[in-house]
Amino acid sequence: MGRYIAKRLAVAALTVFIILFVLFMLLNFMPGSPFNNEEKMTPEQIATLKAAYGLDKPVIERFFIYVGNMLRGDFGVSYNIQNNMPIATMVGSRLKVTLGLGLEAGILGAIVGNLLGILAALKRHTPVDTVATVIAVLGVSLPNFVFALLLSYFFGYRLKLFPLTFNPADPIRSSVLPVIALSMFTLASMERYTRSELVSIMDSDYMMLAESKGLPRRKLIMRHALRNALISLITVLAPLLVNLMSGSIVIEKIFSIPGLGTLYITAIQSNDYNVVLATSFIYSVMFVIAMLLVDLAYGLIDPRVRLAGQKG
Amino acid sequence: MAQESEVASIPAADFGFAQGHEEEAEREYANYSYVREIFNRFMDNKGAFVSLVMIVLIIVLAIVAPMLSPYKFDEVNSTRSNLPPRVPGLEQVGLFDGTKDGVNVYAEKGISEEYHYFGTDSLGRDIWVRVWYGTRISLLISLIAVVIDIFIGVVYGLISGYFGGRVDIVMQRITEILSSIPQLVIVTILLVALGPGLGNIVIALAITGWIDMSRIVRAQMLKLKNMEFVLAARTLGASWREIIFKEVMPNCLAQIIVTFMFSIPNAIFFEAFLAFVGLGVPAPISSLGTMINDGYKSAMVYPYMVVGPVVVLGLLMLGFNLFADGLRDAIEPNQS
């Protein structure tokens, strides 16, 4: 297991490096100028500014300077959004907000989705099952912002139960709607997966054996069916995490939550080169870490995965 | 022995020939082709059938609605801004009668002969026409992007799977690295670098979307390439091109079509996502995504501005997802 972990870590580190290189190169071709009124400046002024920000050196050299600085926790400074503000400080608090939002939505979706899935599987072919299936189909198919708009219209605007936009003075109440909207996809896919897993397990031979041995239904479900169903849930984790990430950007924008997503959008719209690079890199790193954890969990549960990894 | 005597005591009249099954075996079943069988299973699935109707209806409306309406999608008219929805027929029942807070805005402005089914936006453009025009653009973007995806993915997957060995290892490492960059990051960065625009959105979506397809096709190739029919083809002297594209590829068609159908709603979502990030198709062209992005800010005051595009986008994604689900279940009935 130790070798497997070490190998996966090395691959992840290499991937992160390649991602950074690709992003850096792509953004180098970004149109427009990083400075606000370039057309009004003299060539000398532009040259001074470029030298001040280190933009006069060749691309490859700039890349390695950037990597070196980044390892020391310095992501450079913002050009347009907040002049000369270090990006590390801009990102710090926002990252916490985004991670919190994603975590809450993930946990809520996982718990409710699992319960719904179990309920649907146990009460197969009843109205409960139908309702759960409809929720699952809608949740998987409809994008997050549809739920966000519906929730904010009915619970925010009509009933005035929750604030329409994020209110820093009341973070708990104002994160209720975004968390629900963001959790819908997780909820739906968990429901789907748990239901189909449970249904196939309930029909399996070993469940029949356990049942014929006279085990009480409670024990049958808790010990034999659920445990096996939950183990294979890991396979749906990867698409869920991806959805939570892309979803959080949209949800943050709709509810004006001061998270990484809103910063990302502002940076793109104001051509703030360094901030775009830093935020996309952070998103990529979160993604790589999430996939790494999913892989390691796989290896932990299914020995075939790590054995195959050792051979190659 | 006690048992033997028990058996002997059963009267012979209780026994008879079991003939029920012979009749069963002689019953004739209708003979269906593979495609026909899939089609029948698909049509038996209620959700799948409804989704088919939904998709066809939306596509027909997207083509026909802008042509039949007297308004144009980019026709700005400041005297007709923020009009609520008004539909002939339904207005008699009190629904969509062009009133806002009890006042008939149409009568107030002296245009009672005009009907804007979904209302108008802040520039006075007809939302009904814009929604269906936007549906065209959204569908166009996703269809082109997905077709390119399929093309790259299928060829890549087939070649990687067929040749195996070093070729496969190199090609698989490339997809591994590409797939470890989140799609949303690479799509936005590409668009930032290329600049927003219809063609660039298609390119950005196409560059990132083919990996799933290549994986599925490669797995299929690995399964099929050692089968007898491939060996037979090789013995007959078929070149690798013929084996890959004439022998193996037709056998992957079912998986390719299912993946194709699942990719479409994904592409539609990404188009809307890009619009939200501010990288949507530039005005005056509208897509469902840009319309939602424009409308959601005033969604609380003028909900009808965002309801139209959101409902169509939702139905479109729901329709394609259900359609793909139904198709997958019809092609692989034991998988569900």
Side-chain angles (χ1 to χ4, degrees):
Chain A
M1 192 63 198
R3 257 188 74 184
Y4 175 68
I5 295 177
K7 199 185 152 193
R8 288 293 297 124
L9 275 175
V11 171
L14 181 71
T15 316
V16 165
F17 183 79
I18 294 174
I19 291 175
L20 185 60
F21 183 74
V22 171
L23 293 181
F24 195 89
M25 288 302 147
L26 274 175
L27 280 179
N28 209 47
F29 298 115
M30 190 161 143
S33 144
F35 309 119
N36 265 332
N37 306 305
E38 192 172 282
E39 59 276 12
K40 290 185 200 144
M41 292 189 263
T42 62
E44 290 79 28
Q45 278 175 315
I46 294 173
T48 336
L49 265 176
K50 280 198 167 164
Y53 287 109
L55 288 175
D56 52 343
K57 299 191 182 75
V59 185
I60 299 290
E61 198 186 332
R62 265 168 37 211
F63 174 68
F64 282 103
I65 293 174
Y66 187 80
V67 173
N69 287 340
M70 215 183 62
L71 290 176
R72 276 175 249 124
D74 175 14
F75 283 87
V77 292
S78 156
Y79 295 137
N80 294 338
I81 302 175
Q82 279 162 299
N83 217 343
N84 287 338
M85 170 84 138
I87 291 170
T89 24
M90 285 171 83
V91 163
S93 60
R94 287 164 172 273
L95 186 59
K96 230 166 65 190
V97 174
T98 296
L99 285 178
L101 181 68
L103 206 65
E104 281 161 20
I107 291 171
L108 177 77
I111 292 176
V112 179
N114 265 318
L115 288 179
L116 263 182
I118 295 167
L119 212 63
L122 295 184
K123 306 219 181 274
R124 221 187 316 172
H125 307 309
T126 64
V128 179
D129 188 15
T130 317
V131 170
T133 308
V134 170
I135 293 177
V137 168
L138 291 179
V140 169
S141 312
L142 296 179
N144 287 322
F145 55 78
V146 174
F147 296 109
L149 288 172
L150 282 176
L151 286 170
S152 57
Y153 185 73
F154 287 107
F155 294 100
Y157 182 68
R158 278 292 169 85
L159 298 174
K160 304 212 180 342
L161 287 175
F162 301 101
L164 281 175
T165 51
F166 191 79
N167 177 5
D170 190 4
I172 296 172
R173 246 164 55 97
S174 35
S175 55
V176 170
L177 295 182
V179 166
I180 294 178
L182 188 55
S183 72
M184 281 311 286
F185 184 81
T186 314
L187 190 155
S189 23
M190 283 278 181
E191 193 277 340
R192 257 186 172 186
Y193 198 77
T194 311
R195 182 189 177 276
S196 72
E197 263 314 279
L198 261 186
V199 164
S200 70
I201 286 174
M202 301 283 265
D203 290 342
S204 69
D205 290 345
Y206 76 82
M207 282 299 284
M208 201 145 82
L209 175 72
E211 204 178 343
S212 60
K213 276 173 150 181
L215 257 77
R217 195 172 157 75
R218 248 186 94 100
K219 205 170 174 187
L220 205 68
I221 291 163
M222 298 302 284
R223 284 281 289 275
H224 293 262
L226 265 186
R227 268 197 177 183
N228 284 303
L230 290 185
I231 281 179
S232 37
L233 265 182
I234 296 180
T235 46
V236 278
L237 277 183
L240 288 187
L241 292 165
V242 173
N243 179 274
L244 282 178
M245 257 172 60
S246 64
S248 73
I249 295 182
V250 174
I251 297 285
E252 277 176 26
K253 189 184 174 193
I254 289 183
F255 291 99
S256 344
I257 299 169
L260 204 58
T262 39
L263 182 68
Y264 190 49
I265 294 176
T266 331
I268 287 171
Q269 285 170 349
S270 57
N271 259 351
D272 203 330
Y273 169 92
N274 268 351
V275 183
V276 174
L277 181 57
T279 38
S280 5
F281 181 65
I282 292 170
Y283 272 117
S284 309
V285 170
M286 290 201 295
F287 181 78
V288 171
I289 291 177
M291 292 302 136
L292 180 71
L293 291 179
V294 171
D295 265 9
L296 291 183
Y298 250 145
L300 206 65
I301 283 165
D302 192 345
R304 281 172 303 179
V305 174
R306 61 173 188 266
L307 289 180
Q310 258 170 23
K311 239 185 284 163
Chain B
M1 298 253 236
Q3 265 181 350
E4 256 173 58
S5 63
E6 237 173 74
V7 172
S9 69
I10 299 171
D14 281 2
F15 293 90
F17 290 106
Q19 278 170 326
H21 295 292
E22 283 161 28
E23 287 164 25
E24 185 79 5
E26 277 167 25
R27 213 171 85 195
E28 272 186 39
Y29 288 92
N31 203 353
Y32 292 129
S33 71
Y34 179 58
V35 173
R36 186 66 200 263
E37 215 176 297
I38 290 175
F39 179 76
N40 286 348
R41 273 199 294 263
F42 182 84
M43 286 313 208
D44 283 344
N45 183 340
K46 249 183 278 164
F49 179 71
V50 171
S51 72
L52 182 68
V53 175
M54 244 154 65
I55 294 172
V56 170
L57 206 69
I58 290 177
I59 292 178
V60 168
L61 274 170
I63 296 170
V64 172
M67 293 197 272
L68 292 184
S69 176
Y71 312 105
K72 287 219 173 60
F73 75 95
D74 55 353
E75 190 181 80
V76 178
N77 190 338
S78 54
T79 58
R80 307 229 183 318
S81 62
N82 302 336
L83 287 172
R86 186 177 183 219
V87 184
L90 282 177
E91 64 176 337
Q92 264 87 30
V93 206
L95 285 166
F96 302 111
D97 53 359
T99 54
K100 170 119 185 119
D101 307 321
V103 184
N104 189 329
V105 187
Y106 287 74
E108 208 177 43
K109 294 204 176 187
I111 43 169
S112 357
E113 73 286 354
E114 283 187 23
Y115 288 94
H116 295 279
Y117 302 152
F118 282 179
T120 57
D121 63 9
S122 54
L123 294 175
R125 296 176 293 198
D126 183 73
I127 295 181
W128 167 263
V129 173
R130 278 180 77 72
V131 162
W132 295 114
Y133 181 81
T135 311
R136 277 188 198 177
I137 301 291
S138 293
L139 276 174
L140 204 68
I141 290 176
S142 36
L143 277 178
I144 299 175
V146 172
V147 166
I148 300 175
D149 275 355
I150 297 296
F151 186 76
I152 304 176
V154 167
V155 172
Y156 195 97
L158 285 175
I159 289 178
S160 174
Y162 181 77
F163 289 106
R166 213 167 280 166
V167 177
D168 189 40
I169 289 174
V170 172
M171 288 177 89
Q172 285 315 300
R173 287 301 93 81
I174 294 174
T175 51
E176 247 169 58
I177 288 171
L178 279 179
S179 66
S180 64
I181 310 178
Q183 201 186 354
L184 75 100
V185 166
I186 200 78
V187 169
T188 37
I189 294 290
L190 272 172
L191 270 183
V192 164
L194 295 170
L198 210 97
N200 288 345
I201 294 179
V202 172
I203 293 172
L205 286 178
I207 286 180
T208 53
W210 55 272
I211 293 172
D212 277 341
M213 191 56 166
S214 81
R215 280 201 182 130
I216 287 160
V217 172
R218 174 175 171 269
Q220 198 65 15
M221 172 58 106
L222 291 181
K223 205 169 88 187
L224 294 174
K225 75 170 179 183
N226 293 323
M227 286 174 81
E228 280 84 358
F229 73 93
V230 177
L231 185 69
R234 198 171 295 147
T235 320
L236 288 170
S239 69
W240 61 268
R241 275 191 208 88
E242 277 171 319
I243 293 176
I244 291 179
F245 295 107
K246 285 202 179 141
E247 301 292 333
V248 179
M249 200 171 84
N251 285 294
C252 308
L253 222 59
Q255 278 79 10
I256 294 175
I257 295 172
V258 170
T259 317
F260 176 77
M261 295 312 291
F262 272 115
S263 307
I264 292 177
N266 190 41
I268 294 175
F269 168 75
F270 254 102
E271 189 277 322
F273 173 82
L274 287 173
F276 254 97
V277 181
L279 296 168
V281 287
I285 308 175
S286 67
S287 74
L288 292 175
T290 53
M291 290 190 68
I292 296 170
N293 190 37
D294 292 341
Y296 94 94
K297 286 165 222 145
S298 47
M300 302 306 145
V301 192
Y302 304 113
Y304 55 83
M305 282 188 195
V306 76
V307 165
V310 163
V311 167
V312 174
L313 185 95
L315 287 180
L316 208 53
M317 284 184 65
L318 190 66
F320 275 111
N321 268 311
L322 284 175
F323 188 90
D325 267 342
L327 201 62
R328 186 186 52 197
D329 292 349
I331 289 172
E332 304 163 351
N334 349 323
Q335 294 275 309
S336 56

